[in-house]
Amino acid sequence: MLDQSYYAKADEIIEHYGRKAGSLIPIMQDIQGAYRYLPGELLSYVAKEIGVREAKAYSVATFYENFSFEPKGKYIIKVCDGTACHVRKSGPILDVLFKELGLNKKKHTTDDMVFTVETVSCLGACGLAPTLMVNEQVYPCMTPEKAIELIEELRGESV
């Protein structure tokens, strides 16, 4: 059961975009922006409030890779595994992040909710490969050593 403040925030977002089916995606984006994930219970609430079938809302949310039903950490680290990054050894960077943070291919978020590690197909910075992104900041020419240094720096900020 979600705290009442989640519903209040959803109501505020719904009022901003309007109670119409065409508002579904921007409403979901704003909710995910606020909480770093899309709580399923809140998606059901939004669907009812804007007059969209719950199944339709879920089909939209699961179609777009950007939406996540799992809570994410304060720092979302996206490791590029596109062709340029893969050829330039993004795999060892992902491996060292998983090891350093105690994560794996099935567990993407640390227990303290500070870090989430994901792989993406492309960050659009192929000339700077291998790259990773933390929230909205791109880090070019990464190495496993630089990735560990970055984690330590972020840990210091999160205290």
Side-chain angles (χ1 to χ4, degrees):
M1 183 81 183
L2 292 175
D3 183 78
Q4 190 59 36
S5 65
Y6 281 73
Y7 295 98
K9 181 68 173 175
D11 287 336
E12 177 185 314
I13 293 168
I14 291 167
E15 290 308 316
H16 175 75
Y17 289 104
R19 294 179 184 276
K20 56 188 184 284
S23 299
L24 179 62
I25 291 175
I27 290 169
M28 292 188 321
Q29 288 172 320
D30 281 11
I31 289 171
Q32 182 158 297
Y35 301 112
R36 294 191 303 275
Y37 81 110
L38 187 58
E41 193 176 319
L42 208 51
L43 182 58
S44 298
Y45 175 77
V46 166
K48 184 182 75 132
E49 291 296 308
I50 66 171
V52 172
R53 287 187 354 255
E54 190 173 349
K56 174 71 173 177
Y58 274 89
S59 75
V60 170
T62 56
F63 177 79
Y64 292 103
E65 192 174 299
N66 183 50
F67 293 115
S68 173
F69 290 112
E70 294 182 27
K72 295 189 179 193
K74 176 180 179 181
Y75 299 109
I76 301 170
I77 303 169
K78 296 179 181 183
V79 178
C80 182
D81 196 35
T83 303
C85 289
H86 183 79
V87 167
R88 291 187 176 160
K89 309 279 187 231
S90 63
I93 295 166
L94 182 62
D95 292 343
V96 79
L97 288 171
F98 279 162
K99 183 178 179 190
E100 180 71 18
L101 298 171
L103 301 174
N104 56 52
K105 290 182 181 185
K106 291 185 179 181
K107 181 182 180 190
H108 297 271
T109 301
T110 56
D111 292 337
D112 60 6
M113 298 301 293
V114 175
F115 296 100
T116 296
V117 176
E118 304 172 335
T119 56
V120 294
S121 298
C122 186
L123 290 174
C126 301
L128 303 172
T131 59
L132 64 79
M133 179 183 274
V134 178
N135 297 344
E136 301 302 315
Q137 175 74 39
V138 175
Y139 292 85
C141 306
M142 289 302 295
T143 64
E145 296 77 21
K146 286 182 182 178
I148 290 174
E149 289 174 17
L150 179 58
I151 292 300
E152 292 304 321
E153 180 182 320
L154 295 172
R155 280 183 174 140
E157 288 179 11
S158 122
V159 175

